Amino acid sequence: MPNHLTRNIIAGSISLLLFACANTTESQAPVATDSTIASPVPAAVVRTEAVNPGATGEITLNRIMSDPDWLGREPTAPAWSLDGDIVYARKREGSEVNDYYLIKADKTGNGSKIELSAQHAYRYDEKAASNDGKYTAWRFEDSVFVKLADGAVVQLTRGGQSLRNLTFMTDNRLMATTGDSVVAFDLTTGQQAMLMSWKFEDAPVANKPPKDYIAAEQQTLIQYIQVQRKNRDDAFAHDAAMRAASPAVAPAPFYFPSGDRLVAATLSPDGKHAIVVTTKQGSYRDKTDIMPHYIQEDGRIAAIDVRQRVADAQPVEETVWLLDIQAHTQHKLSYMNLPGYNDDVLASVKAENAAARGETYTVNRLPRAIGLLDSWYWREPSIRWHQDGTAVALMLEAWDNKDRWIVTVDFASKQFNTEHRLHDDAWVNYRFNQFGWLHNTHTLFYQSEHTGYSHLYVQKPGEKPRALTSGEYIVDEVTLSSNDQYMYFQANKKHPGIYEIYRVNVATGEHEALTDLNGVTEYVLSPGEDALLLTHSKVTQPPELFIQRLGNGSEPVQLTHTVSEAFKALPWTAPQVVAIPSSHTSKPIYARVYLPEGYQQGDAKRAVVFNHGAGYLQNAHLGWSGYFREFMFHSMLVQKGYVVLDMDYRASAGYGRDWRTAIYRQMGTPEVEDLRDGVNWLVNNANVDRNRIGTYGGSYGGFLTFMSMFTAPDLFQAGAALRPVSDWAHYNTAYTSNILNTPDVDPIAYRKSSPIYFAEGLEKTLLINAPMVDNNVFFVDVVRLVQRMIELEKTDFETAIYPVEPHGFIQPSSWLDEYRRIFKLFEENL
């Protein structure tokens, strides 16, 4: 599901044949022209190439569903050390613990394991460098270290209250957040100073005003009372003056409404202003329900708190405060001048739902709830200070998910200036929202999807943006060079399923391809900006690390070799990537197809259609898939004579805004239409028997299995729904409200999109596999659906439960049991 949508899932790579069916036009199926990729040819004459020519052996469920350590334990979390060497993590065999390895910059190979006592010298959780390059500071675990101008390393802290958000100020002091305050360290003297702090309570006063008539008279008549009040006034004023004047006293805290909580607090690098964002108490995991966990060490049942359902969600407003540190004043910034602030963007949706109830809806111009862009994907506050401290930008979003604003703050007038508004009648994408300032000028850069694809822009405040990229491809993972000359990025320019690394000259807009590996490649720019640390994989080869030197026509060099000989020895099937013509759009549906030897000869074949999870995820790409067990299972099915299809149905990532938003208010409708096109393609191009096709998938793929089995019972003879959503009103807010709004506003969308409303359509055999401690898709989704099918007197279904498993299974025995049942389902029904 969506909270598994990380860049690591998109990242994998494949080097394999690409082909389109004979009647696909060039505009429908753009194919890379790299020499390692075959030209498009009719599907009838394309054969799958063996991964390892000559490899033999039987692919078994016991092997592929066992602990995945046997594949070789791929490198993860690649990074550059402070000295320009390479550090990466690798799972320890037979353990959940990661070990870390060091590869010297001039070496290749898997490197040497870094001892625990030395890891702080090579790894960091966050890092900051001073603008003049004299100092580098980093946090590792609960300590902060500093590399001084002479190269010496000093441990600044060890334990105690942790430091976060390391930043160098314009005067070269190191600034950090600790608890409810921001502190600065003078690295030449060792002095620590509190710069600002905050509290959520009423600000103290010397004397409270009289609460009633009697109190007022008492204070007027009694001289003793007057003296006491004057003494408190004097002491309070003296304390304030001391805080303002004396370096020996910390500045007074800033006070915010009692009952609120902090969202973010950042101080400008020059120490003159701060942005603080607050909201009302409450959280994503408000206790609206619990999840029982039956298998406990003490033999009792544990009640686990779980996240809020979208049906229980209420609008969340955040307040942005501008603080003047020297004057010690705070000002609430108003959203009123944001374009579209009080637009009734859901008026047509509300009117449709009102009409369904026999009512008439009147447009409502009440202000919308607004706050910082939700950082659940980026995990960092959407506030960016220019390094000189004189400018700040924020990325704001409306709670209804229809608008995103990039704003700057006018410190003099204390108001927002809107630099860019991105509006989407469906929803604004949460993924493509990197933004910031160029280092040397007051120029913003940002991603925007307003042309239909994620692209990169630069813009001086108050001026029009200038596009640095354009076209029908996705730009992501942006890195700005230290001198503002280049922006590095990942993009699928050559083909939707091929991700390479590029850079663009910020001044000229000239593009340069830095890699040509024909897979899915990720990168980390070296500290000296003279090399790229690449993570590259292929469809049948798990990720490995490469180094690509910049300039002089250097070729990438493979560093690690972690794939096991046991994995290499098996005859995996390399899927072909096809562009299937769509009956409903002008774009093709890209898909992986796994074909057995001689698939065109003899009787029509059995087939299985796999539905990937997460909805917004790409799986028909040219890299190693996050669904590696499914890849191996599909190879096993091919050995048994099956054809397997894995489609990037509408809603999938990698194909632009329109493909993503096709499911707005109708989840399960466009995707099933695409599955029908896929089934027709299999029958017409891969010698598949229309009456011997099954389907399966987990999470969103389980939901889609339900929708196809319930609403299009002619498509598949059997289906397996794993950890499936049956009613979107029970899923989370962050994901679901994007696509279906909220149930109180748009019940039509929920009824149209939730399988539980279509259960009467089940006609073929259905397997439901449900983990019981799933805090993503609750077990109750299956419980409610099963009860409904019992009441509908359905008989062709069975349910398997997994008492100790979360959303992503952990125990190999559970994986084996699940896929034995899936395989048995297909063997018996296809």
Side-chain angles (χ1 to χ4, degrees):
M1 290 311 297
N3 64 350
H4 294 284
L5 279 178
T6 65
R7 299 161 215 150
N8 291 333
I9 290 182
I10 292 184
S13 283
I14 299 176
S15 186
L16 46 97
L17 293 174
L18 299 166
F19 70 95
C21 61
N23 61 348
T24 301
T25 65
E26 183 178 356
S27 62
Q28 290 176 315
V31 178
T33 57
D34 188 272
S35 59
T36 65
I37 299 174
S39 300
V41 295
V45 299
V46 173
R47 293 167 58 90
T48 302
E49 291 185 343
V51 178
N52 300 302
T56 60
E58 183 182 2
I59 302 171
T60 67
L61 281 174
N62 289 73
R63 172 48 112 184
I64 65 180
M65 296 300 159
S66 62
D67 188 318
D69 278 3
W70 76 274
L71 278 73
R73 298 172 293 117
E74 68 197 53
T76 60
W80 294 92
S81 75
L82 297 168
D83 294 327
D85 296 321
I86 292 162
V87 178
Y88 70 93
R90 192 179 183 193
K91 181 180 175 295
R92 185 181 300 172
E93 188 170 6
S95 171
E96 290 302 307
V97 173
N98 281 332
D99 291 318
Y100 286 83
Y101 291 81
L102 179 71
I103 305 173
K104 301 298 289 185
D106 58 346
K107 303 292 184 182
T108 61
N110 293 345
S112 57
K113 188 169 78 170
I114 306 172
E115 297 301 324
L116 294 179
S117 60
Q119 286 193 11
H120 67 276
Y122 302 101
R123 296 179 53 210
Y124 50 84
D125 298 307
E126 60 172 309
K127 182 182 75 168
S130 61
N131 293 339
D132 61 8
K134 287 185 177 180
Y135 303 113
T136 300
W138 68 97
R139 176 175 61 82
F140 176 67
E141 299 292 348
D142 58 357
S143 297
V144 172
F145 300 83
V146 179
K147 187 173 184 179
L148 303 177
D150 61 3
V153 173
V154 175
Q155 185 168 356
L156 191 65
T157 67
R158 182 179 184 182
Q161 196 165 32
S162 62
L163 301 180
R164 294 291 187 272
N165 306 318
L166 302 181
T167 308
F168 275 94
M169 304 181 71
T170 54
D171 60 7
N172 262 8
R173 286 186 295 169
L174 176 64
M175 179 169 58
T177 302
T178 177
D180 293 334
S181 63
V182 177
V183 297
F185 297 88
D186 188 321
L187 300 180
T188 60
T189 66
Q191 182 192 51
Q192 176 183 337
M194 179 185 287
L195 302 179
M196 64 172 283
S197 62
W198 53 87
K199 293 183 177 181
F200 289 94
E201 58 187 53
D202 294 335
V205 294
N207 291 292
K208 294 181 180 180
K211 64 180 181 180
D212 54 24
Y213 171 80
I214 291 178
E217 291 303 297
Q218 181 84 339
Q219 294 172 24
T220 301
L221 292 171
I222 305 302
Q223 186 178 23
Y224 167 78
I225 298 295
Q226 296 169 9
V227 170
Q228 296 300 313
R229 289 176 67 83
K230 179 181 181 303
N231 289 342
R232 288 196 292 269
D233 278 334
D234 291 346
F236 191 84
H238 175 75
D239 181 67
M242 177 65 79
R243 288 183 179 276
S246 173
V249 181
F254 289 90
Y255 292 90
F256 299 96
S258 176
D260 283 12
R261 63 177 178 87
L262 185 73
V263 175
T266 64
L267 183 64
S268 63
D270 63 7
K272 294 181 180 180
H273 294 92
I275 297 292
V276 173
V277 184
T278 63
T279 191
K280 298 296 181 186
Q281 285 287 6
S283 75
Y284 174 69
R285 292 190 179 273
D286 281 347
K287 294 183 179 180
T288 57
D289 214 335
I290 59 95
M291 175 178 65
H293 194 329
Y294 289 92
I295 309 299
Q296 295 292 309
E297 290 183 13
D298 62 4
R300 272 64 175 180
I301 300 171
I304 311 297
D305 291 335
V306 290
R307 54 129 176 104
Q308 190 181 66
R309 291 165 169 80
V310 65
D312 299 324
Q314 297 295 322
V316 176
E317 177 90 357
E318 295 177 353
T319 301
V320 180
W321 304 82
L322 172 63
L323 278 54
D324 186 315
I325 302 302
Q326 294 174 330
H328 204 271
T329 59
Q330 60 198 79
H331 185 86
K332 183 189 298 186
L333 298 176
S334 172
Y335 297 127
M336 290 185 65
N337 66 339
L338 298 180
Y341 167 58
N342 64 344
D343 287 356
D344 192 355
V345 295
L346 286 166
S348 62
V349 169
K350 294 173 183 176
E352 180 185 346
N353 279 273
R357 298 189 300 267
E359 302 169 359
T360 300
Y361 176 72
T362 302
V363 172
N364 188 337
R365 293 289 182 182
L366 289 177
R368 301 152 73 191
I370 293 172
L372 286 183
L373 183 81
D374 188 352
S375 58
W376 73 272
Y377 183 73
W378 291 110
R379 303 191 183 281
E380 57 181 292
S382 297
I383 305 169
R384 303 287 183 271
W385 288 95
H386 190 274
Q387 66 181 24
D388 68 11
T390 64
V392 66
L394 295 84
M395 188 173 281
L396 304 173
E397 67 172 348
W399 193 78
D400 55 39
N401 308 306
K402 311 298 182 189
D403 274 289
R404 184 205 78 182
W405 300 269
I406 297 175
V407 299
T408 53
V409 178
D410 187 318
F411 298 149
S413 64
K414 298 180 176 57
Q415 67 177 12
F416 291 127
N417 292 328
T418 300
E419 308 300 341
H420 177 69
R421 177 192 181 189
L422 177 61
H423 175 82
D424 197 309
D425 288 339
W427 75 94
V428 173
N429 198 338
Y430 53 78
R431 180 177 295 177
F432 303 118
N433 291 301
Q434 288 179 267
F435 79 112
W437 297 92
L438 299 190
H439 299 299
N440 302 310
T441 64
H442 280 196
T443 301
L444 290 163
F445 70 88
Y446 56 84
Q447 289 175 285
S448 177
E449 210 181 25
H450 68 263
T451 64
Y453 290 83
S454 166
H455 283 296
L456 187 57
Y457 301 84
V458 290
Q459 177 180 340
K460 291 185 177 180
E463 298 183 7
K464 292 183 177 180
R466 175 167 59 91
L468 294 179
T469 63
S470 62
E472 293 188 356
Y473 60 90
I474 302 299
V475 169
D476 204 5
E477 302 300 320
V478 180
T479 303
L480 175 65
S481 66
S482 58
N483 62 2
D484 292 342
Q485 182 178 5
Y486 295 110
M487 286 191 182
Y488 296 78
F489 60 91
Q490 179 198 55
N492 57 350
K493 278 188 178 187
K494 297 198 301 188
H495 180 276
I498 298 175
Y499 286 82
E500 304 283 7
I501 310 306
Y502 303 84
R503 69 181 178 186
V504 57
N505 186 300
V506 175
T508 68
E510 181 181 0
H511 286 214
E512 180 181 358
L514 301 177
T515 65
D516 190 24
L517 295 171
N518 291 316
V520 178
T521 305
E522 291 187 325
Y523 78 101
V524 184
L525 183 64
S526 68
E529 301 181 358
D530 59 350
L532 301 176
L533 173 57
L534 305 175
T535 302
H536 175 74
S537 68
K538 300 187 182 301
V539 68
T540 56
Q541 299 174 28
E544 298 285 10
L545 299 183
F546 294 69
I547 189 168
Q548 169 76 65
R549 300 292 176 185
L550 298 178
N552 301 322
S554 298
E555 295 293 324
V557 175
Q558 184 169 346
L559 300 174
T560 62
H561 294 80
T562 61
V563 180
S564 71
E565 293 303 317
F567 176 81
K568 295 177 184 177
L570 289 173
W572 306 112
T573 299
Q576 316 301 311
V577 172
V578 299
I580 296 175
S582 168
S583 301
H584 298 86
T585 77
S586 61
K587 303 293 184 181
I589 311 158
Y590 285 91
R592 290 180 173 187
V593 61
Y594 298 73
L595 299 166
E597 290 289 338
Y599 69 95
Q600 290 287 16
Q601 282 75 50
D603 295 338
K605 303 296 185 286
R606 296 178 291 178
V608 169
V609 176
F610 170 66
N611 307 311
H612 70 67
Y616 192 58
L617 177 144
Q618 185 176 11
N619 207 44
H621 56 67
L622 299 181
W624 182 251
S625 172
Y627 291 103
F628 62 91
R629 288 184 181 86
E630 288 74 9
F631 157 73
M632 295 188 291
F633 180 55
H634 298 163
S635 290
M636 190 197 86
L637 290 176
V638 167
Q639 275 198 338
K640 306 292 185 182
Y642 288 80
V643 173
V644 181
L645 187 68
D646 173 2
M647 303 186 73
D648 276 343
Y649 49 79
R650 276 174 287 171
S652 298
Y655 305 97
R657 179 264 175 199
D658 291 349
W659 202 258
R660 168 177 65 85
T661 61
I663 60 170
Y664 179 56
R665 302 188 67 220
Q666 55 172 3
M667 296 168 80
T669 297
E671 305 97 301
V672 173
E673 293 172 347
D674 293 344
L675 293 180
R676 185 173 296 281
D677 284 336
V679 166
N680 291 338
W681 187 92
L682 287 172
V683 172
N684 296 330
N685 295 274
N687 191 26
V688 165
D689 184 341
R690 186 180 296 276
N691 296 313
R692 301 177 70 200
I693 305 176
T695 189
Y696 84 106
S699 198
Y700 197 99
F703 150 76
L704 192 48
T705 298
F706 279 158
M707 290 298 278
S708 60
M709 297 290 287
F710 295 170
T711 67
D714 63 309
L715 270 186
F716 303 113
Q717 301 304 306
L722 324 176
R723 48 198 179 277
V725 174
S726 69
D727 188 342
W728 287 107
H730 291 258
Y731 198 58
N732 69 36
T733 304
Y735 178 79
T736 318
S737 64
N738 280 319
I739 306 169
L740 301 180
N741 304 310
T742 54
D744 60 318
V745 169
D746 200 0
I748 288 176
Y750 282 80
R751 292 174 188 138
K752 188 174 184 178
S753 302
S754 296
I756 198 167
Y757 295 102
F758 302 96
E760 66 275 6
L762 180 65
E763 297 179 6
K764 306 293 176 55
T765 306
L766 175 64
L767 168 67
I768 307 172
N769 287 357
M772 293 183 69
V773 287
D774 189 339
N775 62 2
N776 183 8
V777 179
F778 297 155
F779 180 60
V780 72
D781 265 65
V782 167
V783 172
R784 294 176 68 241
L785 181 66
V786 166
Q787 179 60 28
R788 175 144 173 75
M789 290 198 292
I790 291 171
E791 293 171 356
L792 290 168
E793 300 182 1
K794 296 294 181 180
T795 58
D796 291 331
F797 74 94
E798 64 178 33
T799 306
I801 62 172
Y802 297 86
V804 301
E805 293 297 351
H807 192 65
F809 280 19
I810 297 173
Q811 303 299 320
S813 56
S814 299
W815 281 107
L816 179 60
D817 182 89
E818 179 174 58
Y819 276 79
R820 277 177 172 167
R821 293 175 187 275
I822 297 168
F823 182 57
K824 180 181 179 182
L825 175 79
F826 294 149
E827 287 288 277
E828 292 181 347
N829 291 279
L830 306 185

